[in-house]
Amino acid sequence: MTSNDFSSAHHTPRHDLESSPAATVSAGPGPGPAPADLLRRLRARGAGDPVTHVERVPARAGVPAPWPSWAPEELRATFTGRGVTAPWQHQAEAANLAYEGQHVVVATGTASGKSLAYQLPALATLLADPRATVLYLAPTKALAADQLRAVTALELEGVRPACYDGDTPRAEREWIRRHSRFVLTNPDMLHHGILPGHAQWSGFLRRLAYVVIDECHTYRGVFGSHVAHVLRRLRRQCARFGATPVFVLASATSGDPATAAGRLTGLPVTAVTEDASPRGGVTFALWEPPLLPPDTGSSLRVPPPGDDSAPPAPPQPTGDSASPAPSQPTGDHDELRQVRRSALRETADLLADTVAEGVRTLAFVRSRKGAEVVAANARRSLDDAVPGLGDRVAAYRGGYLREERRELERALLHGDLLGLASTNALELGVDLVGLDAVLICGYPGTRASLWQQAGRAGRSGQEALAVLVARDDPLDTYLVHHPEAIFGAPVEATVLDPANPYVLAPQLACAAVEAPLTPADLVLFGDGAKEAVDQLVAAGALRQRPTGWYWRHRERPEVDLRGEGGAPVCVVESSTGRLLGTVDGGSSHFLLHPGAVYLHQGVSYVVDDLDLADGCALVHAEEPDWSTHARDVTDLSVVSVRSYVDAGPVGMFLGEVDVTSQVVSYQRRRIATGEVIDTRPLDLPTRELRTVAVWFTLSPQSLTLAGVQPADVPGALHAAEHAAIGLLPLMATCDRWDIGGLSTAVHPDTEAPTVFVYDGHPGGAGFAERAYGTASAWLRATRDAIVECGCETGCPSCVQSPKCGNGNNPLSKPDAIRVLDVVLANLPQ
């Protein structure tokens, strides 16, 4: 174990662990033990020390600034009455830029008071001009609802703030359009409701002074690319009504926020990045679950009956499909050859221990199923120790009904709940700053998200504890043994590509419905807009007239902003007709196939029927002693090559590919042992995807010279592919569920041994380009992660994948290292 106390600014991620002077949560029980004492107790509860590194993020005093001279006395007095005696320096700087008419992004840490930076100029303008309006956009409904509470609590006359989203009763919508001057919504409602109804919003848009875009670092990949064009459509409609609003963006610390914000808005944006808010000290531990006894994992090594994943002759491709869905059927990693104790079980135990100590704790879990499992296990452990104490723990995730979400938020905010296991739905949700501890079950995919989640810990500037619990995963294993990759590295830049033709064309179609397109509009929408319009004309969607391009159909185009693979699927209890929740379309094949086990608030259901046409899954309550795990097959063909590097026996390529995937079966496994009960076939439709991929080829001779026998090539490439997918999030703002891969000893399009890694979104999301641009560093980290793993033949910490469609077979860890040695020896640095 190593431990460092870094005090210099460039060694600590100084922007993301702050406490806010503006809004501090103090409800609930008093602080428990000091973080260092709590960590010591947690480490002592088992054999061996699971902590690989402890980082001390020191406390820091804030740097205040005077109130801007243009801020009305009424507004200053209101903030002062709520405990904000003066803004911090970064708040005042950003507010002044915005008030002067400059587009600005304030990119500072969690709880650094970014909301004051946009509230000051926006509210000052509303008070000075009784006709002015403000539009606030948040990526989640919970965050918009939280901001509504904050603005409403200021009780400023004439502002009339209101949320306008899918949960808003229709009876209230007309009032909001006519009378609210501070409308809080999300990009989805702007896209589906406000812009199509721009005539009804003309009064609001004509007077629009500010557009606030909160948590703008979340707008990445395909979602970010769609939102970029929604904002251009908003600017277009405002210009038609004579308005040129100022854009004020708020972001967690990110790499090059001005460039990312400019790409998102299409405008020049000034960045404010020096965080001047005070911060309580944080003890940040990297936690690696202990190894299991050899006999514990051995029961999981038996191949499933009828497994058809052994490589036939000639060698066939082995694929790991990607899905853009945010919640995946990862569940636990019991389905793999488990070497370490599950991160879910470890997090559940830690959550139970911290709650038993009276410590308010939020556990972030990557999947919906995982959040349910962690909460259920923690409740069970607490009830075994103190009956009834388990009631102080709950799960929180997307898919819950609105009433359930609001009640859980209220219960944690007021201390009725001591522990919450949540997906990243609460990473950006209600203002929960002030918790005593945060547990992060698995690396969340980016350093930006890691610091955002860790920043939820810290009560009134007091010391806090954050723990990253590593999963059996190549990236997690690499990070807990290379802490400099977390604590000494800059936060990633946000990746989005507005020129993606699969995003640009549908967005131009939406814009044409709102008003005919003109040549000036094509400049607004940027590179590729003219080509996309020409394609829409050729397809019969647009008609060109002297005054512009007109939409030809009666219906609006269906455009899915979040790239989730279709409309949400409702989960309905068969016997009662009760709506339990929803699952996004992209995950439905995995989570709601017939026979699947579905968890909701700790209650287990089994799926009876999945009707994709009607978007409905019928389920019945059942507590089986088995879990389900969907399996799929993938095929890939090369469409075109954008760029390549010829490195002798090695080639590195970037280009377009067509990917076809299908969920074909699922396994039932004993919950207690992981034993495979059976494999059952499924008849679900195939899914086709044209996207962007990075791939490398090797000559057969180079592999032979490296000691990789022809019979071992499929396993070598497959293992290298898994590890490369697992390590790509180190280079790009993605996680492994955003990307997929395929490897084969002889691909028909390359006629060579090939490993593909592709974006799991139509048209690509920018991740493959990032991989191509950082290929040497990416593959070097991949090789290091495999070499440094302590297993003998390969495990989830290095070359196994939780989403492998071939049951992690074949795999060859030693030969994967040889493959990467050949690539790195020949590829230019």
Side-chain angles (χ1 to χ4, degrees):
M1 191 206 91
T2 59
S3 178
N4 287 321
D5 288 352
F6 289 168
S7 56
S8 60
H10 72 281
H11 275 152
T12 51
R14 60 190 300 268
H15 297 305
D16 278 285
L17 292 170
E18 329 297 345
S19 60
S20 171
T24 302
V25 176
S26 59
D37 293 335
L38 177 60
L39 180 60
R40 191 158 38 247
R41 296 183 200 180
L42 296 176
R43 295 168 73 173
R45 65 176 173 77
D49 188 357
V51 174
T52 62
H53 179 85
V54 176
E55 188 81 11
R56 169 70 185 152
V57 182
R60 185 189 63 223
V63 180
W67 288 105
S69 58
W70 45 261
E73 180 57 36
E74 175 189 357
L75 188 59
R76 298 188 214 178
T78 299
F79 280 120
T80 302
R82 299 188 64 80
V84 183
T85 55
W88 304 121
Q89 196 169 69
H90 66 278
Q91 294 171 326
E93 181 184 354
N96 278 317
L97 288 169
Y99 195 79
E100 291 166 2
Q102 293 191 48
H103 310 292
V104 62
V105 56
V106 53
T108 55
T110 308
S112 57
K114 291 186 287 288
S115 58
L116 187 65
Y118 55 74
Q119 286 176 2
L120 263 179
L123 295 174
T125 299
L126 294 183
L127 291 174
D129 180 358
R131 293 178 54 79
T133 60
V134 172
L135 182 67
Y136 169 96
L137 297 174
T140 65
K141 293 178 183 177
L143 181 55
D146 186 57
Q147 283 296 305
L148 175 64
R149 285 191 289 268
V151 176
T152 302
L154 298 175
E155 298 180 340
L156 296 171
E157 186 176 355
V159 172
R160 300 187 293 274
C163 266
Y164 190 88
D165 58 32
D167 293 336
T168 305
R170 295 206 170 271
E172 297 179 14
R173 295 187 180 190
E174 177 64 22
W175 184 93
I176 294 172
R177 285 193 293 264
R178 289 180 174 273
H179 302 293
S180 177
R181 300 176 60 218
F182 196 123
V183 172
L184 302 99
T185 187
N186 51 62
D188 308 83
M189 196 63 177
L190 180 60
H191 163 66
H192 289 291
I194 295 176
L195 290 175
H198 57 83
Q200 295 174 297
W201 286 88
S202 59
F204 182 89
L205 296 175
R206 184 174 288 112
R207 304 189 301 271
L208 189 59
Y210 290 96
V211 177
V212 177
I213 306 174
D214 209 352
E215 305 291 1
C216 67
H217 64 282
T218 63
Y219 301 123
R220 63 176 180 83
V222 168
F223 180 39
S225 302
H226 273 296
V227 172
H229 288 299
V230 172
L231 295 177
R232 284 158 176 78
R233 286 162 51 201
L234 172 64
R235 289 173 51 206
R236 178 174 179 248
Q237 290 302 326
C238 288
R240 292 180 67 233
F241 292 120
T244 55
V246 174
F247 282 74
V248 185
L249 302 94
S251 170
T253 303
S254 64
D256 200 3
T259 298
R263 192 176 295 125
L264 183 66
T265 61
L267 296 164
V269 179
T270 303
V272 174
T273 58
E274 285 299 318
D275 194 332
S277 63
R279 176 185 60 204
V282 176
T283 299
F284 202 134
L286 304 184
W287 186 290
E288 187 173 42
L291 291 166
L292 294 171
D295 58 338
T296 305
S298 62
S299 65
L300 304 176
R301 297 175 181 267
V302 181
D307 186 3
D308 59 356
S309 61
Q316 297 297 307
T318 51
D320 300 273
S321 62
S323 169
S327 56
Q328 291 293 337
T330 55
D332 205 319
H333 284 271
D334 284 349
E335 66 267 29
L336 304 179
R337 304 174 192 177
Q338 201 169 352
V339 173
R340 295 191 176 275
R341 193 166 188 264
S342 157
L344 287 180
R345 295 177 182 177
E346 198 80 350
T347 303
D349 285 352
L350 289 171
L351 180 59
D353 289 344
T354 56
V355 168
E357 294 272 3
V359 174
R360 287 181 67 205
T361 307
L362 180 60
F364 283 107
V365 189
R366 289 170 57 89
S367 71
R368 293 180 176 187
K369 181 178 177 182
E372 297 278 6
V373 168
V374 166
N377 286 347
R379 283 195 296 262
R380 190 178 304 114
S381 297
L382 289 166
D383 282 335
D384 288 344
V386 180
L389 188 56
D391 294 340
R392 307 294 297 279
V393 175
Y396 183 105
R397 60 171 176 80
Y400 282 1
L401 302 180
R402 178 192 184 191
E403 294 75 18
E404 291 179 291
R405 295 196 308 269
R406 296 295 177 262
E407 176 56 27
L408 289 168
E409 293 161 11
R410 186 207 62 77
L412 185 62
L413 199 62
H414 293 281
D416 299 336
L417 287 174
L418 274 178
L420 202 60
S422 171
T423 60
N424 63 358
L426 278 182
E427 178 182 322
L428 308 172
V430 296
D431 187 2
L432 296 176
V433 176
L435 300 170
D436 301 309
V438 166
L439 308 173
I440 304 169
C441 181
Y443 184 63
T446 66
R447 285 180 287 271
S449 287
L450 180 74
W451 291 112
Q452 188 82 358
Q453 292 179 6
R456 292 295 172 195
R459 180 196 292 253
S460 302
Q462 297 178 6
E463 297 285 318
L465 175 67
V467 180
L468 171 62
V469 182
R471 295 170 302 150
D472 252 354
D473 174 272
L475 181 55
D476 286 40
T477 302
Y478 180 86
L479 290 173
V480 295
H481 292 286
H482 292 82
E484 71 279 1
I486 295 176
F487 300 107
V491 176
E492 307 90 347
T494 303
V495 176
L496 66 150
D497 179 17
N500 179 341
Y502 288 84
V503 172
L504 181 53
Q507 287 292 336
L508 285 167
C510 292
V513 175
E514 292 154 9
L517 292 168
T518 66
D521 294 330
L522 303 189
V523 176
L524 173 67
F525 285 95
D527 294 342
K530 181 61 169 65
E531 293 79 1
V533 165
D534 290 342
Q535 291 173 5
L536 290 169
V537 171
L542 295 181
R543 175 184 287 116
Q544 186 172 7
R545 295 284 179 83
T547 52
W549 291 271
Y550 288 74
W551 179 247
R552 297 185 61 178
H553 304 295
R554 300 174 73 89
E555 304 82 11
R556 284 180 48 81
E558 290 291 333
V559 178
D560 178 12
L561 291 192
R562 297 178 184 261
E564 294 175 346
V569 176
C570 297
V571 184
V572 178
E573 190 172 24
S574 303
S575 60
T576 64
R578 180 168 64 105
L579 176 65
L580 298 177
T582 61
V583 169
D584 56 82
S587 293
S588 60
H589 288 215
F590 290 92
L591 299 181
L592 296 177
H593 60 77
V597 175
Y598 174 80
L599 290 177
H600 181 80
Q601 281 289 35
V603 178
S604 178
Y605 298 84
V606 174
V607 178
D608 300 315
D609 180 61
L610 172 61
D611 188 333
L612 292 170
D614 289 341
C616 179
L618 298 177
V619 303
H620 69 270
E622 184 180 340
E623 294 288 341
D625 64 351
W626 39 265
S627 59
T628 54
H629 306 268
R631 303 181 67 185
D632 63 348
V633 294
T634 304
D635 193 19
L636 180 150
S637 61
V638 175
V639 176
S640 64
V641 174
R642 289 186 187 175
S643 180
Y644 71 94
V645 174
D646 185 351
V650 173
M652 181 68 65
F653 300 83
L654 176 72
E656 286 78 28
V657 297
D658 280 336
V659 181
T660 302
S661 63
Q662 183 180 22
V663 175
V664 295
S665 63
Y666 69 98
Q667 291 181 342
R668 296 192 306 159
R669 298 184 181 137
R670 299 284 181 201
I671 293 175
T673 65
E675 172 194 358
V676 175
I677 302 171
D678 57 19
T679 299
R680 299 189 173 190
L682 290 169
D683 182 20
L684 292 172
T686 59
R687 289 179 165 176
E688 297 181 355
L689 173 72
R690 176 162 291 187
T691 185
V692 178
V694 58
W695 65 93
F696 61 83
T697 61
L698 305 95
S699 70
Q701 295 82 2
S702 68
L703 292 176
T704 301
L705 289 173
V708 182
Q709 299 303 312
D712 297 327
V713 170
L717 299 175
H718 196 197
E721 171 215 328
H722 281 182
I725 290 173
L727 267 293
L728 183 53
L730 199 61
M731 306 296 162
T733 49
C734 66
D735 60 39
R736 74 183 308 152
W737 297 106
D738 288 317
I739 48 183
L742 181 139
S743 56
T744 178
V746 181
H747 192 275
D749 294 332
T750 65
E751 299 181 347
T754 310
V755 172
F756 294 88
V757 175
Y758 60 85
D759 290 355
H761 302 266
F767 308 136
E769 285 94 335
R770 179 67 176 163
Y772 181 78
T774 61
S776 293
W778 166 42
L779 296 177
R780 174 69 61 187
T782 300
R783 181 195 179 278
D784 291 346
I786 301 174
V787 169
E788 293 168 4
C789 183
C791 71
E792 293 183 8
T793 60
C795 70
S797 295
C798 56
V799 299
Q800 291 186 355
S801 169
K803 60 176 186 172
C804 181
N806 294 79
N808 286 290
N809 186 19
L811 291 176
S812 174
K813 175 182 176 178
D815 289 322
I817 297 170
R818 297 184 180 101
V819 165
L820 292 168
D821 282 340
V822 172
V823 175
L824 292 167
N826 290 278
L827 199 65
Q829 296 298 310

